[in-house]
Coordinates of all heavy atoms in Angstrom, one line a residue:
L144 N 102.3 110.3 276.3 CA 102.3 111.4 275.3 C 101.0 111.7 274.7 O 100.5 112.8 274.5 CB 103.4 111.1 274.2 CG 104.8 111.1 274.7 CD1 105.7 110.4 273.6 CD2 105.3 112.5 274.9
V145 N 100.3 110.6 274.3 CA 99.0 110.7 273.7 C 98.0 111.3 274.8 O 97.2 112.1 274.5 CB 98.5 109.4 273.1 CG1 97.0 109.5 272.7 CG2 99.4 109.0 272.0
G146 N 98.1 110.7 276.0 CA 97.2 111.2 277.0 C 97.5 112.6 277.4 O 96.5 113.4 277.8
G147 N 98.7 113.1 277.2 CA 99.0 114.5 277.5 C 98.3 115.4 276.5 O 97.9 116.5 276.9
I148 N 98.1 115.0 275.3 CA 97.4 115.8 274.3 C 95.9 116.0 274.8 O 95.4 117.1 274.8 CB 97.5 115.2 272.9 CG1 98.9 115.2 272.5 CG2 96.7 116.1 271.9 CD1 99.1 114.4 271.1
G149 N 95.3 114.8 275.1 CA 93.9 114.9 275.6 C 93.7 115.7 276.8 O 92.8 116.4 277.0
T150 N 94.7 115.5 277.8 CA 94.6 116.2 279.0 C 94.7 117.7 278.8 O 94.0 118.5 279.4 CB 95.7 115.8 280.0 OG1 95.6 114.3 280.2 CG2 95.5 116.4 281.4
A151 N 95.6 118.1 277.9 CA 95.8 119.5 277.7 C 94.5 120.1 277.0 O 94.2 121.3 277.3 CB 97.0 119.7 276.8
L152 N 93.9 119.4 276.1 CA 92.7 119.9 275.4 C 91.5 120.1 276.4 O 90.7 121.0 276.2 CB 92.3 118.9 274.3 CG 93.2 119.0 273.0 CD1 92.8 117.9 272.1 CD2 93.0 120.3 272.3
T153 N 91.4 119.2 277.4 CA 90.3 119.3 278.3 C 90.6 119.9 279.6 O 89.8 119.8 280.6 CB 89.8 117.8 278.5 OG1 90.8 117.1 279.1 CG2 89.3 117.2 277.3
L154 N 91.7 120.6 279.7 CA 92.2 121.2 280.9 C 91.3 122.2 281.5 O 91.1 122.2 282.8 CB 93.6 121.8 280.7 CG 94.4 122.2 282.0 CD1 94.6 121.1 282.9 CD2 95.7 122.9 281.6
S155 N 90.7 123.0 280.7 CA 89.8 124.1 281.3 C 88.4 123.7 281.5 O 87.6 124.5 282.1 CB 89.8 125.3 280.3 OG 89.3 124.9 279.0
L156 N 88.1 122.4 281.2 CA 86.7 121.9 281.5 C 86.6 121.4 282.9 O 87.5 120.8 283.4 CB 86.4 120.8 280.5 CG 86.5 121.2 279.0 CD1 86.1 120.0 278.2 CD2 85.5 122.3 278.7
P157 N 85.5 121.8 283.6 CA 85.4 121.4 285.0 C 85.3 119.9 285.3 O 85.8 119.4 286.2 CB 84.1 122.1 285.5 CG 83.4 122.4 284.2 CD 84.4 122.5 283.2
R158 N 84.6 119.2 284.4 CA 84.4 117.7 284.6 C 84.8 117.1 283.2 O 84.0 116.7 282.4 CB 83.0 117.4 284.9 CG 82.6 117.9 286.3 CD 81.1 117.6 286.6 NE 80.7 118.2 287.9 CZ 79.5 118.1 288.4 NH1 78.6 117.4 287.7 NH2 79.2 118.6 289.5
A159 N 86.1 116.8 283.1 CA 86.6 116.4 281.8 C 87.0 114.9 281.8 O 87.5 114.4 280.8 CB 87.9 117.2 281.5
G160 N 86.7 114.2 282.8 CA 87.1 112.8 282.9 C 86.5 111.9 281.8 O 87.2 111.2 281.1
L161 N 85.1 112.0 281.6 CA 84.5 111.2 280.5 C 84.9 111.7 279.2 O 85.2 110.8 278.3 CB 83.0 111.3 280.7 CG 82.1 110.5 279.7 CD1 82.5 109.1 279.7 CD2 80.6 110.8 279.9
L162 N 85.0 113.0 278.9 CA 85.4 113.5 277.6 C 86.9 113.1 277.3 O 87.2 112.7 276.2 CB 85.3 115.0 277.6 CG 85.7 115.7 276.3 CD1 84.9 115.2 275.1 CD2 85.5 117.2 276.4
L163 N 87.7 113.1 278.3 CA 89.1 112.7 278.1 C 89.2 111.2 277.7 O 89.9 110.9 276.8 CB 89.9 112.9 279.4 CG 91.3 112.5 279.4 CD1 92.1 113.2 278.4 CD2 92.0 112.6 280.8
S164 N 88.4 110.4 278.3 CA 88.3 109.0 278.0 C 87.9 108.8 276.5 O 88.5 108.0 275.8 CB 87.4 108.2 278.9 OG 87.8 108.3 280.2
L165 N 86.9 109.5 276.1 CA 86.4 109.4 274.7 C 87.4 109.9 273.7 O 87.5 109.4 272.6 CB 85.1 110.2 274.6 CG 83.9 109.7 275.4 CD1 82.7 110.6 275.2 CD2 83.5 108.3 274.9
L166 N 88.2 110.9 274.1 CA 89.2 111.4 273.2 C 90.4 110.5 273.0 O 90.9 110.3 271.9 CB 89.7 112.8 273.7 CG 88.8 114.0 273.5 CD1 89.4 115.2 274.2 CD2 88.7 114.3 272.0
I167 N 90.9 109.9 274.1 CA 92.2 109.3 274.0 C 92.1 107.8 273.8 O 93.0 107.2 273.3 CB 93.1 109.6 275.2 CG1 92.5 109.0 276.5 CG2 93.3 111.1 275.3 CD1 93.4 109.2 277.7
F168 N 91.0 107.1 274.2 CA 90.9 105.7 274.1 C 91.0 105.2 272.6 O 91.7 104.2 272.3 CB 89.6 105.1 274.7 CG 89.8 104.6 276.1 CD1 88.9 105.0 277.1 CD2 90.9 103.8 276.4 CE1 89.1 104.5 278.4 CE2 91.1 103.4 277.7 CZ 90.2 103.7 278.7
P169 N 90.4 105.9 271.6 CA 90.6 105.5 270.2 C 92.1 105.6 269.8 O 92.6 104.8 269.0 CB 89.7 106.4 269.4 CG 88.7 106.8 270.4 CD 89.4 106.9 271.7

Side-chain angles (χ1 to χ4, degrees):
L144 291 164
V145 173
I148 300 174
T150 305
L152 284 172
T153 59
L154 187 60
S155 59
L156 302 179
R158 298 179 180 177
L161 179 58
L162 180 58
L163 178 61
S164 303
L165 294 175
L166 281 174
I167 65 174
F168 264 134

